[in-house]
Amino acid sequence: MADALFPILGATIAPMLGRAAIMQRLWNDLAKQTPSHLSVVWPRYAGKTVLMHGLAERMLQRDSPYAAVI
């Protein structure tokens, strides 16, 4: 019964495609002198996990002002 409520769509996170503008807006808000507090709220299966995974990858790049990503 739990499988019907929370379907597992795969073992890996899909690559982020077509969200460059959203990613840039998030990055601009997070990388400024005083970062904004942000919430990611979208409907189910809209790509929240994919977006957050892409953001974590961006934060790991050399030019990132962040020293750690959790």
Side-chain angles (χ1 to χ4, degrees):
M1 184 167 184
D3 291 333
L5 297 176
F6 301 102
I8 297 173
L9 302 177
T12 60
I13 297 174
M16 190 177 67
L17 301 172
R19 303 238 189 245
I22 294 170
M23 178 61 72
Q24 189 60 49
R25 182 173 176 197
L26 282 173
W27 187 251
N28 289 344
D29 285 343
L30 291 172
K32 63 185 182 181
Q33 178 104 17
T34 305
S36 299
H37 173 80
L38 303 173
S39 296
V40 178
V41 181
W42 282 339
R44 284 176 76 185
Y45 308 117
K48 297 179 295 285
T49 300
V50 171
L51 181 69
M52 297 309 293
H53 189 262
L55 184 60
E57 287 180 354
R58 175 65 179 94
M59 288 179 164
L60 291 170
Q61 292 179 0
R62 286 191 175 273
D63 64 339
S64 172
Y66 293 94
V69 178
I70 298 174

